[in-house]
Amino acid sequence: MKFFFFISAFLLSSFSCRKNSPEFFNGIVDRNINGCSGSTGYVFIIKYINLNNTEDSLSTLTLPTQFKLSGIKINFQMRNLSNSDEVMFCNTMINPPNQKVIYNVNPK
């Protein structure tokens, strides 16, 4: 009986501590926005399919250099900005999509 409780407690604790990994998204690098930038360069727009299975877009300063070409298909993870992330600045009258931080970027 003690063995059963030990195994049950072990399984419950191991499953409850497991974090869900952020989703990977498929996207296409659309273009850069010449009127917006940051210390890492121009802001890029990425079109992707969101979790609701609809087309969406985001703007980012964290696209790795090797993917900064229009039309490249990528897989990536994303998160919202935190206080330590750089915010883009724009010197034109445009309304870019929401800024996100993307990471774990791979070619599709």
Side-chain angles (χ1 to χ4, degrees):
M1 188 73 160
K2 288 182 183 179
F3 180 73
F4 175 76
F5 287 118
F6 174 75
I7 295 296
S8 297
F10 174 76
L11 290 174
L12 284 174
S13 66
S14 61
F15 286 121
S16 64
C17 293
R18 185 178 294 174
K19 289 185 177 181
N20 290 333
S21 297
E23 291 283 332
F24 270 90
F25 296 91
N26 294 320
I28 298 175
V29 178
D30 185 33
R31 60 187 167 87
N32 66 322
I33 303 174
N34 292 330
C36 298
S37 63
S39 66
T40 57
Y42 289 118
V43 174
F44 277 80
I45 302 293
I46 298 174
K47 291 184 178 179
Y48 69 100
I49 302 299
N50 65 24
L51 295 176
N52 296 327
N53 207 25
T54 57
E55 189 174 288
D56 204 348
S57 60
L58 62 88
S59 58
T60 187
L61 285 168
T62 57
L63 183 65
T65 303
Q66 66 267 31
F67 302 110
K68 290 185 175 183
L69 294 170
S70 293
I72 290 183
K73 295 179 181 180
I74 57 173
N75 292 325
F76 62 94
Q77 290 177 296
M78 70 175 147
R79 66 173 173 79
N80 291 325
L81 292 175
S82 67
N83 292 336
S84 61
D85 293 320
E86 180 180 11
V87 178
M88 66 180 168
F89 61 90
C90 297
N91 59 7
T92 60
M93 302 283 285
I94 63 168
N95 189 17
N98 291 333
Q99 183 181 352
K100 300 281 186 179
V101 173
I102 64 169
Y103 57 98
N104 291 337
V105 181
N106 299 302
K108 181 176 176 190

